[in-house]
């Protein structure tokens, strides 16, 4: 693929509009997308888990796969873990294994939804002993963080009710608040807790942390180390996620993302497939925020059922790279002028022009400068890693996903 002439033409155009291409490339080289351990094991829907030949069977194999995705993409240097799916006896050794593979362990996710006692919720359960058990598990995860070298605690609760009157929503709100405030006290120094919301599922009448506003209010009550996590799949149809991102960024409370694509609910599809413009809008808010977005954690939250796992994860990472590249090449100065002058469609066209620009030559150049193959998907297909792990690992319905 001779991408060079196209890259040079694009670089010339960007420099002419006042966008420094070297700066854009430097930002793209520093991009960091975290992949989820649970995306490498078998995962599926509540109807069927299709076992994938070569799916990782334990956390060490998941780390191997995450390191492989990083080797191909150059922008996925960490992996999120979910406890107890990824429970091990020696967490220090786990962190060292990750480092030996050239990656790091990122967010630690306590699992507060899979054990029988959580049927009526975890930290909001009407049972005090269940609430205590849930909090103890969160504290256990706070203790795991320094051992694996992580500074992020990622919290999602399946808590909620199915019927009006089932439990007191205000009592549950106070239980949630007490648990989060207590969690904040256990955070290792310099770390953050990210509070994830979801508007429904598995509870269908009400969810205890249903939306960003609730998560934001909780974060304010906890303290400065608490922020909101935006999972792109967790909104009602038509919600303007870019606006949520913009608000939270401006308040310094956007902690991170769980990227995926959805059409109807929490579909866990490959990010940037059916929502490329939405992903671009989100990245525009992040680029527009400049330094205000410097601590945001970019994580993928997908577990694929019918897609080839590694290729799906690679594509997810690359789609985030594409969206970021497009946001970086927006003619921001021209946009500001048009916005100030109230030129409605002119301003919108500046966005569309960047979105419609073919950034593949720019990304190819960035990859080559990083010593990578300019086309990671082609490199993946030409490589025998997937065939090798399929042979080694075979087909096993393994631990590591919500549906086992
Ligand atoms: C819940 O739907 C969620 O988005 C949470 O982030 C979980 O940790 C993750 O999916 C895996 O089940
Ligand atoms: Mn999520």
């Amino acid at each position: 693929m001779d991408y060079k002439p196209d890259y040079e033409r694009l670089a010339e155009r960007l420099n002419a509009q006042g966008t420094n291409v070297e700066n854009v490339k430097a930002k793209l080289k520093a991009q960091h997308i975290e992949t989820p351990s649970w995306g490498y094991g078998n995962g599926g829907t509540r109807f069927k888990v299709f076992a994938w030949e070569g799916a990782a069977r334990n956390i060490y194999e998941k780390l191997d796969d995450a390191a492989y995705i990083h080797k191909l993409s150059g922008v996925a240097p960490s992996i999120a873990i979910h406890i107890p799916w990824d429970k091990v006896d020696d967490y220090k050794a786990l962190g060292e294994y990750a480092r030996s593979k050239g990656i790091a362990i990122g967010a630690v996710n306590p699992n507060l939804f899979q054990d029988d006692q959580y049927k009526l919720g975890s930290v909001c359960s009407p049972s005090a002993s269940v609430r205590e058990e849930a909090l103890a598990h969160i504290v256990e995860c706070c203790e795991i963080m320094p051992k694996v070298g992580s500074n992020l605690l990622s919290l999602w609760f399946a808590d909620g009710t199915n019927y009006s009157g089932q439990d007191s929503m205000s009592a549950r709100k106070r239980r949630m608040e007490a648990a989060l405030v207590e969690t904040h006290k256990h955070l290792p120094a310099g770390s953050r807790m990210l509070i994830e919301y979801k508007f429904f599922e598995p509870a269908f009448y009400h969810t205890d942390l249903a939306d960003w506003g609730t998560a934001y209010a909780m974060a304010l009550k906890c303290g400065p180390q608490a922020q909101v996590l935006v999972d792109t799949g967790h909104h009602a149809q038509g919600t303007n996620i870019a606006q949520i991102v913009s608000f939270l960024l401006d308040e310094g409370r956007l902690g991170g993302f769980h990227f995926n694509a959805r059409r109807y609910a929490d579909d866990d599809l490959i990010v940037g497939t059916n929502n490329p413009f939405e992903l671009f809008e989100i990245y525009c808010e992040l680029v527009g925020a400049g330094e205000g977005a410097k601590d945001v954690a970019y994580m993928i939250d997908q577990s694929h059922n019918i897609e080839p796992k590694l290729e799906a994860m690679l594509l997810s990472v690359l789609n985030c790279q594409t969206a970021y590249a497009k946001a970086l090449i927006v003619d921001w100065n021209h946009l500001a002028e048009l916005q100030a002058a109230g030129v409605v469609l002119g301003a919108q066209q500046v966005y569309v022009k960047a979105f419609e620009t073919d950034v593949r030559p720019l990304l190819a150049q960035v990859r080559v400068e990083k010593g990578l193959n300019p086309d990671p998907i082609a490199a993946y297909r030409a490589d025998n890693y997937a065939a090798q792990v399929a042979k080694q690992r075979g087909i096993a319905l393994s631990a590591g996903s919500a549906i086992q």
Side-chain angles (χ1 to χ4, degrees):
M1 174 173 81
D2 187 15
Y3 65 87
K4 272 274 182 196
D6 288 333
Y7 164 68
E8 271 149 24
R9 258 193 302 277
L10 178 58
E12 208 173 299
R13 196 195 103 196
L14 293 178
N15 283 327
Q17 85 179 18
T19 303
N20 184 313
V21 179
E22 292 308 315
N23 285 347
V24 168
K25 285 193 295 183
K27 287 188 172 146
L28 287 167
K29 285 176 196 167
Q31 196 180 4
H32 180 158
I33 305 287
E34 181 162 305
T35 64
S37 70
W38 55 99
Y40 296 110
N42 277 315
T45 68
R46 62 197 160 109
F47 300 102
K48 170 74 180 163
V49 175
F50 294 105
W52 190 261
E53 205 180 358
R57 296 163 299 178
N58 56 55
I59 180 61
Y60 285 93
E61 290 179 354
K62 293 172 191 176
L63 290 172
D64 292 344
D65 289 355
Y68 179 61
I69 297 300
H70 179 49
K71 188 178 140 213
L72 291 171
S73 66
V75 291
S78 65
I79 178 172
I81 58 172
H82 223 295
I83 309 294
W85 293 338
D86 300 323
K87 202 175 171 79
V88 290
D89 291 333
D90 188 343
Y91 285 102
K92 278 209 165 103
L94 190 69
E96 275 157 28
Y97 185 78
R99 281 190 290 280
S100 77
K101 290 274 160 179
I103 57 171
I105 292 180
V108 176
N109 293 248
N111 187 313
L112 298 157
F113 50 89
Q114 241 189 346
D115 294 336
D116 285 338
Q117 71 269 25
Y118 297 140
K119 186 157 84 174
L120 301 180
S122 61
V123 296
C124 300
S125 166
S127 156
S129 66
V130 171
R131 296 200 296 274
E132 275 164 30
E133 213 175 313
L135 189 59
H137 177 50
I138 298 175
V139 173
E140 178 195 358
C141 288
C142 289
E143 289 161 4
I144 291 172
M145 289 163 69
K147 292 185 192 156
V148 295
S150 161
N151 59 9
L152 284 180
L153 179 74
S154 196
L155 297 166
W156 177 70
F157 303 89
D159 292 50
T161 59
N162 272 1
Y163 299 97
S164 53
Q166 180 190 321
D167 198 358
S168 156
M169 289 191 280
S170 54
R172 294 180 70 99
K173 176 209 166 246
R174 289 193 291 270
R175 293 173 199 149
M176 172 64 77
E177 187 181 324
L180 291 175
V181 167
E182 187 59 26
T183 299
H184 196 268
K185 294 182 191 153
H186 290 270
L187 286 176
S191 69
R192 290 178 289 153
M193 59 190 262
L194 309 185
I195 305 171
E196 179 175 358
Y197 57 91
K198 181 174 181 177
F199 77 122
F200 89 119
E201 201 196 30
F204 296 115
Y205 170 64
H206 106 285
T207 293
D208 289 298
L209 289 177
D211 58 24
W212 71 270
T214 313
Y216 172 70
M218 290 289 172
L220 291 185
K221 296 204 177 199
C222 290
Q225 287 168 263
Q227 292 177 310
V228 179
L229 185 146
V230 176
D231 181 315
T232 48
H234 292 186
H235 304 88
Q237 302 285 24
T239 301
N240 184 344
I241 301 176
Q243 185 187 3
I244 297 169
V245 168
S246 150
F247 183 95
L248 291 173
L249 275 171
D250 205 52
E251 293 295 323
R253 293 284 174 163
L254 181 69
F257 287 96
H258 271 178
F259 282 135
N260 46 52
R262 51 92 72 181
R263 184 162 296 281
Y264 301 103
D266 187 22
D267 303 337
D268 269 349
L269 300 177
I270 298 170
V271 62
T273 47
N274 56 27
N275 63 344
F277 196 75
E278 177 181 70
L279 187 62
F280 165 74
E281 289 169 338
I282 290 171
Y283 266 104
C284 284
E285 293 306 321
L286 291 155
V287 169
E291 277 295 284
K294 74 175 180 359
D295 292 326
V296 174
Y298 300 86
M299 299 170 273
I300 285 170
D301 181 4
Q302 297 167 197
S303 47
H304 309 104
N305 193 20
I306 61 165
E307 303 87 338
K309 288 195 171 293
L310 293 170
E311 189 169 340
M313 198 56 79
L314 179 59
L315 190 56
S316 305
V317 171
L318 301 182
N319 286 351
C320 292
Q321 220 183 3
T322 300
Y324 186 36
K326 290 185 180 200
L328 285 169
I329 64 161
V330 165
D331 188 344
W332 290 98
N333 292 333
H334 191 209
L335 181 69
E337 281 163 23
L338 294 168
Q339 286 175 341
V343 186
V344 177
L345 295 182
Q348 211 261 335
Q349 273 159 11
V350 173
Y351 258 38
V352 171
K353 185 174 174 188
F355 180 71
E356 288 183 341
T357 301
D358 181 0
V359 292
R360 286 172 300 179
L362 171 64
L363 291 173
Q365 177 68 20
V366 165
R367 291 176 188 131
V368 168
E369 289 182 19
K370 276 187 102 167
L372 300 170
N373 188 304
D375 184 348
I377 293 285
Y380 162 82
R381 289 184 181 163
D383 193 23
N384 66 352
Y385 181 91
Q388 223 171 36
V389 295
K391 210 161 122 196
Q392 270 165 17
R393 301 172 187 168
I395 299 189
L397 261 192
S398 56
S401 73
I403 321 280
Q404 292 179 46

mmCIF file with all atom_site columns, all heavy atoms in Angstrom, residues 123-140:
data_model
loop_
_atom_site.group_PDB
_atom_site.id
_atom_site.type_symbol
_atom_site.label_atom_id
_atom_site.label_alt_id
_atom_site.label_comp_id
_atom_site.label_asym_id
_atom_site.label_entity_id
_atom_site.label_seq_id
_atom_site.pdbx_PDB_ins_code
_atom_site.Cartn_x
_atom_site.Cartn_y
_atom_site.Cartn_z
_atom_site.occupancy
_atom_site.B_iso_or_equiv
_atom_site.pdbx_formal_charge
_atom_site.auth_seq_id
_atom_site.auth_comp_id
_atom_site.auth_asym_id
_atom_site.auth_atom_id
_atom_site.pdbx_PDB_model_num
ATOM 1   N N   . VAL A 1 123 ? -24.321 -3.237  47.000 1.00 0.00 ? 123 VAL A N   1
ATOM 2   C CA  . VAL A 1 123 ? -24.226 -2.219  48.063 1.00 0.00 ? 123 VAL A CA  1
ATOM 3   C C   . VAL A 1 123 ? -25.588 -1.590  48.386 1.00 0.00 ? 123 VAL A C   1
ATOM 4   O O   . VAL A 1 123 ? -25.720 -0.879  49.384 1.00 0.00 ? 123 VAL A O   1
ATOM 5   C CB  . VAL A 1 123 ? -23.186 -1.108  47.720 1.00 0.00 ? 123 VAL A CB  1
ATOM 6   C CG1 . VAL A 1 123 ? -21.786 -1.700  47.628 1.00 0.00 ? 123 VAL A CG1 1
ATOM 7   C CG2 . VAL A 1 123 ? -23.571 -0.382  46.450 1.00 0.00 ? 123 VAL A CG2 1
ATOM 8   N N   . CYS A 1 124 ? -26.595 -1.834  47.568 1.00 0.00 ? 124 CYS A N   1
ATOM 9   C CA  . CYS A 1 124 ? -27.940 -1.299  47.848 1.00 0.00 ? 124 CYS A CA  1
ATOM 10  C C   . CYS A 1 124 ? -28.886 -2.386  48.334 1.00 0.00 ? 124 CYS A C   1
ATOM 11  O O   . CYS A 1 124 ? -30.082 -2.118  48.533 1.00 0.00 ? 124 CYS A O   1
ATOM 12  C CB  . CYS A 1 124 ? -28.539 -0.658  46.594 1.00 0.00 ? 124 CYS A CB  1
ATOM 13  S SG  . CYS A 1 124 ? -27.587 0.701   45.961 1.00 0.00 ? 124 CYS A SG  1
ATOM 14  N N   . SER A 1 125 ? -28.395 -3.583  48.471 1.00 0.00 ? 125 SER A N   1
ATOM 15  C CA  . SER A 1 125 ? -29.254 -4.692  48.883 1.00 0.00 ? 125 SER A CA  1
ATOM 16  C C   . SER A 1 125 ? -29.977 -4.360  50.197 1.00 0.00 ? 125 SER A C   1
ATOM 17  O O   . SER A 1 125 ? -29.412 -3.705  51.079 1.00 0.00 ? 125 SER A O   1
ATOM 18  C CB  . SER A 1 125 ? -28.399 -5.945  49.077 1.00 0.00 ? 125 SER A CB  1
ATOM 19  O OG  . SER A 1 125 ? -29.129 -6.935  49.767 1.00 0.00 ? 125 SER A OG  1
ATOM 20  N N   . PRO A 1 126 ? -31.211 -4.871  50.359 1.00 0.00 ? 126 PRO A N   1
ATOM 21  C CA  . PRO A 1 126 ? -31.881 -4.658  51.652 1.00 0.00 ? 126 PRO A CA  1
ATOM 22  C C   . PRO A 1 126 ? -31.181 -5.404  52.797 1.00 0.00 ? 126 PRO A C   1
ATOM 23  O O   . PRO A 1 126 ? -31.396 -5.072  53.964 1.00 0.00 ? 126 PRO A O   1
ATOM 24  C CB  . PRO A 1 126 ? -33.300 -5.205  51.421 1.00 0.00 ? 126 PRO A CB  1
ATOM 25  C CG  . PRO A 1 126 ? -33.275 -5.928  50.118 1.00 0.00 ? 126 PRO A CG  1
ATOM 26  C CD  . PRO A 1 126 ? -32.082 -5.483  49.354 1.00 0.00 ? 126 PRO A CD  1
ATOM 27  N N   . SER A 1 127 ? -30.328 -6.357  52.447 1.00 0.00 ? 127 SER A N   1
ATOM 28  C CA  . SER A 1 127 ? -29.632 -7.118  53.493 1.00 0.00 ? 127 SER A CA  1
ATOM 29  C C   . SER A 1 127 ? -28.307 -6.461  53.875 1.00 0.00 ? 127 SER A C   1
ATOM 30  O O   . SER A 1 127 ? -27.416 -6.270  53.038 1.00 0.00 ? 127 SER A O   1
ATOM 31  C CB  . SER A 1 127 ? -29.361 -8.538  52.974 1.00 0.00 ? 127 SER A CB  1
ATOM 32  O OG  . SER A 1 127 ? -28.264 -9.106  53.656 1.00 0.00 ? 127 SER A OG  1
ATOM 33  N N   . ALA A 1 128 ? -28.182 -6.135  55.179 1.00 0.00 ? 128 ALA A N   1
ATOM 34  C CA  . ALA A 1 128 ? -26.951 -5.479  55.642 1.00 0.00 ? 128 ALA A CA  1
ATOM 35  C C   . ALA A 1 128 ? -25.739 -6.374  55.431 1.00 0.00 ? 128 ALA A C   1
ATOM 36  O O   . ALA A 1 128 ? -24.653 -5.898  55.091 1.00 0.00 ? 128 ALA A O   1
ATOM 37  C CB  . ALA A 1 128 ? -27.087 -5.112  57.116 1.00 0.00 ? 128 ALA A CB  1
ATOM 38  N N   . SER A 1 129 ? -25.897 -7.676  55.592 1.00 0.00 ? 129 SER A N   1
ATOM 39  C CA  . SER A 1 129 ? -24.724 -8.555  55.448 1.00 0.00 ? 129 SER A CA  1
ATOM 40  C C   . SER A 1 129 ? -24.277 -8.622  53.981 1.00 0.00 ? 129 SER A C   1
ATOM 41  O O   . SER A 1 129 ? -23.083 -8.684  53.691 1.00 0.00 ? 129 SER A O   1
ATOM 42  C CB  . SER A 1 129 ? -24.997 -9.940  56.033 1.00 0.00 ? 129 SER A CB  1
ATOM 43  O OG  . SER A 1 129 ? -25.981 -10.590 55.280 1.00 0.00 ? 129 SER A OG  1
ATOM 44  N N   . VAL A 1 130 ? -25.215 -8.571  53.064 1.00 0.00 ? 130 VAL A N   1
ATOM 45  C CA  . VAL A 1 130 ? -24.831 -8.554  51.632 1.00 0.00 ? 130 VAL A CA  1
ATOM 46  C C   . VAL A 1 130 ? -24.103 -7.243  51.322 1.00 0.00 ? 130 VAL A C   1
ATOM 47  O O   . VAL A 1 130 ? -23.086 -7.228  50.629 1.00 0.00 ? 130 VAL A O   1
ATOM 48  C CB  . VAL A 1 130 ? -26.070 -8.738  50.720 1.00 0.00 ? 130 VAL A CB  1
ATOM 49  C CG1 . VAL A 1 130 ? -25.702 -8.493  49.258 1.00 0.00 ? 130 VAL A CG1 1
ATOM 50  C CG2 . VAL A 1 130 ? -26.658 -10.132 50.880 1.00 0.00 ? 130 VAL A CG2 1
ATOM 51  N N   . ARG A 1 131 ? -24.619 -6.164  51.872 1.00 0.00 ? 131 ARG A N   1
ATOM 52  C CA  . ARG A 1 131 ? -23.972 -4.865  51.634 1.00 0.00 ? 131 ARG A CA  1
ATOM 53  C C   . ARG A 1 131 ? -22.535 -4.885  52.164 1.00 0.00 ? 131 ARG A C   1
ATOM 54  O O   . ARG A 1 131 ? -21.612 -4.405  51.507 1.00 0.00 ? 131 ARG A O   1
ATOM 55  C CB  . ARG A 1 131 ? -24.762 -3.720  52.309 1.00 0.00 ? 131 ARG A CB  1
ATOM 56  C CG  . ARG A 1 131 ? -26.153 -3.532  51.751 1.00 0.00 ? 131 ARG A CG  1
ATOM 57  C CD  . ARG A 1 131 ? -26.694 -2.146  52.062 1.00 0.00 ? 131 ARG A CD  1
ATOM 58  N NE  . ARG A 1 131 ? -26.893 -1.852  53.466 1.00 0.00 ? 131 ARG A NE  1
ATOM 59  C CZ  . ARG A 1 131 ? -27.981 -2.149  54.170 1.00 0.00 ? 131 ARG A CZ  1
ATOM 60  N NH1 . ARG A 1 131 ? -28.989 -2.786  53.594 1.00 0.00 ? 131 ARG A NH1 1
ATOM 61  N NH2 . ARG A 1 131 ? -28.086 -1.817  55.445 1.00 0.00 ? 131 ARG A NH2 1
ATOM 62  N N   . GLU A 1 132 ? -22.380 -5.470  53.337 1.00 0.00 ? 132 GLU A N   1
ATOM 63  C CA  . GLU A 1 132 ? -21.023 -5.550  53.917 1.00 0.00 ? 132 GLU A CA  1
ATOM 64  C C   . GLU A 1 132 ? -20.101 -6.389  53.048 1.00 0.00 ? 132 GLU A C   1
ATOM 65  O O   . GLU A 1 132 ? -18.943 -6.047  52.834 1.00 0.00 ? 132 GLU A O   1
ATOM 66  C CB  . GLU A 1 132 ? -21.090 -6.169  55.323 1.00 0.00 ? 132 GLU A CB  1
ATOM 67  C CG  . GLU A 1 132 ? -21.391 -5.145  56.398 1.00 0.00 ? 132 GLU A CG  1
ATOM 68  C CD  . GLU A 1 132 ? -21.825 -5.806  57.700 1.00 0.00 ? 132 GLU A CD  1
ATOM 69  O OE1 . GLU A 1 132 ? -21.383 -6.938  57.986 1.00 0.00 ? 132 GLU A OE1 1
ATOM 70  O OE2 . GLU A 1 132 ? -22.625 -5.172  58.414 1.00 0.00 ? 132 GLU A OE2 1
ATOM 71  N N   . GLU A 1 133 ? -20.643 -7.494  52.549 1.00 0.00 ? 133 GLU A N   1
ATOM 72  C CA  . GLU A 1 133 ? -19.838 -8.375  51.699 1.00 0.00 ? 133 GLU A CA  1
ATOM 73  C C   . GLU A 1 133 ? -19.422 -7.649  50.408 1.00 0.00 ? 133 GLU A C   1
ATOM 74  O O   . GLU A 1 133 ? -18.279 -7.749  49.960 1.00 0.00 ? 133 GLU A O   1
ATOM 75  C CB  . GLU A 1 133 ? -20.681 -9.595  51.342 1.00 0.00 ? 133 GLU A CB  1
ATOM 76  C CG  . GLU A 1 133 ? -19.858 -10.862 51.186 1.00 0.00 ? 133 GLU A CG  1
ATOM 77  C CD  . GLU A 1 133 ? -20.770 -12.063 50.955 1.00 0.00 ? 133 GLU A CD  1
ATOM 78  O OE1 . GLU A 1 133 ? -21.761 -12.208 51.685 1.00 0.00 ? 133 GLU A OE1 1
ATOM 79  O OE2 . GLU A 1 133 ? -20.476 -12.819 50.019 1.00 0.00 ? 133 GLU A OE2 1
ATOM 80  N N   . ALA A 1 134 ? -20.347 -6.895  49.857 1.00 0.00 ? 134 ALA A N   1
ATOM 81  C CA  . ALA A 1 134 ? -20.054 -6.161  48.617 1.00 0.00 ? 134 ALA A CA  1
ATOM 82  C C   . ALA A 1 134 ? -18.965 -5.115  48.874 1.00 0.00 ? 134 ALA A C   1
ATOM 83  O O   . ALA A 1 134 ? -18.012 -4.983  48.089 1.00 0.00 ? 134 ALA A O   1
ATOM 84  C CB  . ALA A 1 134 ? -21.324 -5.490  48.104 1.00 0.00 ? 134 ALA A CB  1
ATOM 85  N N   . LEU A 1 135 ? -19.098 -4.407  49.969 1.00 0.00 ? 135 LEU A N   1
ATOM 86  C CA  . LEU A 1 135 ? -18.103 -3.378  50.290 1.00 0.00 ? 135 LEU A CA  1
ATOM 87  C C   . LEU A 1 135 ? -16.732 -4.025  50.549 1.00 0.00 ? 135 LEU A C   1
ATOM 88  O O   . LEU A 1 135 ? -15.700 -3.500  50.110 1.00 0.00 ? 135 LEU A O   1
ATOM 89  C CB  . LEU A 1 135 ? -18.570 -2.562  51.502 1.00 0.00 ? 135 LEU A CB  1
ATOM 90  C CG  . LEU A 1 135 ? -17.736 -1.331  51.818 1.00 0.00 ? 135 LEU A CG  1
ATOM 91  C CD1 . LEU A 1 135 ? -17.707 -0.352  50.641 1.00 0.00 ? 135 LEU A CD1 1
ATOM 92  C CD2 . LEU A 1 135 ? -18.283 -0.618  53.054 1.00 0.00 ? 135 LEU A CD2 1
ATOM 93  N N   . ALA A 1 136 ? -16.752 -5.157  51.222 1.00 0.00 ? 136 ALA A N   1
ATOM 94  C CA  . ALA A 1 136 ? -15.486 -5.854  51.494 1.00 0.00 ? 136 ALA A CA  1
ATOM 95  C C   . ALA A 1 136 ? -14.814 -6.244  50.161 1.00 0.00 ? 136 ALA A C   1
ATOM 96  O O   . ALA A 1 136 ? -13.583 -6.170  50.024 1.00 0.00 ? 136 ALA A O   1
ATOM 97  C CB  . ALA A 1 136 ? -15.734 -7.092  52.337 1.00 0.00 ? 136 ALA A CB  1
ATOM 98  N N   . HIS A 1 137 ? -15.608 -6.630  49.179 1.00 0.00 ? 137 HIS A N   1
ATOM 99  C CA  . HIS A 1 137 ? -15.028 -6.992  47.874 1.00 0.00 ? 137 HIS A CA  1
ATOM 100 C C   . HIS A 1 137 ? -14.436 -5.759  47.180 1.00 0.00 ? 137 HIS A C   1
ATOM 101 O O   . HIS A 1 137 ? -13.372 -5.824  46.562 1.00 0.00 ? 137 HIS A O   1
ATOM 102 C CB  . HIS A 1 137 ? -16.082 -7.662  46.995 1.00 0.00 ? 137 HIS A CB  1
ATOM 103 C CG  . HIS A 1 137 ? -15.575 -7.988  45.626 1.00 0.00 ? 137 HIS A CG  1
ATOM 104 N ND1 . HIS A 1 137 ? -14.384 -8.668  45.414 1.00 0.00 ? 137 HIS A ND1 1
ATOM 105 C CD2 . HIS A 1 137 ? -16.063 -7.697  44.394 1.00 0.00 ? 137 HIS A CD2 1
ATOM 106 C CE1 . HIS A 1 137 ? -14.169 -8.783  44.109 1.00 0.00 ? 137 HIS A CE1 1
ATOM 107 N NE2 . HIS A 1 137 ? -15.171 -8.196  43.472 1.00 0.00 ? 137 HIS A NE2 1
ATOM 108 N N   . ILE A 1 138 ? -15.111 -4.629  47.323 1.00 0.00 ? 138 ILE A N   1
ATOM 109 C CA  . ILE A 1 138 ? -14.576 -3.390  46.733 1.00 0.00 ? 138 ILE A CA  1
ATOM 110 C C   . ILE A 1 138 ? -13.242 -3.040  47.400 1.00 0.00 ? 138 ILE A C   1
ATOM 111 O O   . ILE A 1 138 ? -12.263 -2.685  46.735 1.00 0.00 ? 138 ILE A O   1
ATOM 112 C CB  . ILE A 1 138 ? -15.589 -2.222  46.864 1.00 0.00 ? 138 ILE A CB  1
ATOM 113 C CG1 . ILE A 1 138 ? -16.874 -2.546  46.094 1.00 0.00 ? 138 ILE A CG1 1
ATOM 114 C CG2 . ILE A 1 138 ? -14.969 -0.923  46.360 1.00 0.00 ? 138 ILE A CG2 1
ATOM 115 C CD1 . ILE A 1 138 ? -17.977 -1.512  46.248 1.00 0.00 ? 138 ILE A CD1 1
ATOM 116 N N   . VAL A 1 139 ? -13.214 -3.162  48.731 1.00 0.00 ? 139 VAL A N   1
ATOM 117 C CA  . VAL A 1 139 ? -11.981 -2.848  49.473 1.00 0.00 ? 139 VAL A CA  1
ATOM 118 C C   . VAL A 1 139 ? -10.860 -3.817  49.049 1.00 0.00 ? 139 VAL A C   1
ATOM 119 O O   . VAL A 1 139 ? -9.713  -3.409  48.865 1.00 0.00 ? 139 VAL A O   1
ATOM 120 C CB  . VAL A 1 139 ? -12.240 -2.890  51.007 1.00 0.00 ? 139 VAL A CB  1
ATOM 121 C CG1 . VAL A 1 139 ? -10.946 -2.744  51.782 1.00 0.00 ? 139 VAL A CG1 1
ATOM 122 C CG2 . VAL A 1 139 ? -13.221 -1.782  51.399 1.00 0.00 ? 139 VAL A CG2 1
ATOM 123 N N   . GLU A 1 140 ? -11.219 -5.076  48.855 1.00 0.00 ? 140 GLU A N   1
ATOM 124 C CA  . GLU A 1 140 ? -10.239 -6.071  48.380 1.00 0.00 ? 140 GLU A CA  1
ATOM 125 C C   . GLU A 1 140 ? -9.642  -5.591  47.039 1.00 0.00 ? 140 GLU A C   1
ATOM 126 O O   . GLU A 1 140 ? -8.426  -5.671  46.817 1.00 0.00 ? 140 GLU A O   1
ATOM 127 C CB  . GLU A 1 140 ? -10.961 -7.416  48.187 1.00 0.00 ? 140 GLU A CB  1
ATOM 128 C CG  . GLU A 1 140 ? -10.087 -8.541  47.643 1.00 0.00 ? 140 GLU A CG  1
ATOM 129 C CD  . GLU A 1 140 ? -10.924 -9.728  47.119 1.00 0.00 ? 140 GLU A CD  1
ATOM 130 O OE1 . GLU A 1 140 ? -12.176 -9.702  47.206 1.00 0.00 ? 140 GLU A OE1 1
ATOM 131 O OE2 . GLU A 1 140 ? -10.289 -10.668 46.590 1.00 0.00 ? 140 GLU A OE2 1
#
